[in-house]
Amino acid sequence: MTKNKKNQPENENIGYQKVDIYNQEKIDQLKGHYAKILNDIGEDTNREGLLKTPERVAKAMQFLTHGYDLDPVAILNSAKFREDYKQMVIVKDIEIYSMCEHHLLPFFGKAHVAYIPNNYIVGLSKIPRIVDAFARRLQVQERLTTEIRDCIQNTLKPLGVAVVIEAQHLCMQMRGIQKQNSVTTTSAFTGEFENDKTRAEFINLIRGTFH
Ligand SMILES: [Zn+2]
């Protein structure tokens, strides 16, 4: 959360900017490691196509893990409004790109998030932002699901939270562990969503998006 702060304007976005200014010190360190990895797999780091690869990969890795620099609680609190609305709010089809912490390979898919407000609502764009803040780290899909749920529950204290994530894991697909197109679904609920009827309503409302 510190490295780019001095370059950012003092505004409501503090704490969750997209990282588009790279930390050169970190890039240089990572670059050295990736050059070594390329050598270790038998590549020639001097051939033309690979000359800039260590630096590119270092930058890619820094971007793919920039969620560590974001504060999801701050994101929600930055647009938390008092409101009497007590019906289900659903944000569905949120794109997810994350990295499996066991193989450092991507998993990607969609998240569907719902909550039932209890005196407070949050700006709708903040839901995809916190999903991204947790996804842009090394993850397992199960923990990603519960972290999103718990963050919303603890910050907004709604009557209930529901999170469903459907994702494809390249560590399964590329390594041939399971069927090539299998989708893993995880879900996590609190409060009113523990109730069968409410949960069924939520599932019904997001169902159109299941593949
Ligand atoms: Zn994996």
Side-chain angles (χ1 to χ4, degrees), residues 133-149:
F134 285 116
R136 299 298 193 172
R137 306 174 185 201
L138 301 188
Q139 276 288 6
V140 294
Q141 186 177 331
E142 295 86 341
R143 190 175 68 236
L144 176 60
T145 310
T146 55
E147 281 182 345
I148 295 164
R149 176 199 63 186

Side-chain angles (χ1 to χ4, degrees), residues 4-15 17:
N4 297 316
K5 226 172 177 174
K6 60 178 183 299
N7 297 319
Q8 298 295 337
E10 288 287 328
N11 62 23
E12 56 149 13
N13 291 329
I14 291 295
Q17 308 86 345

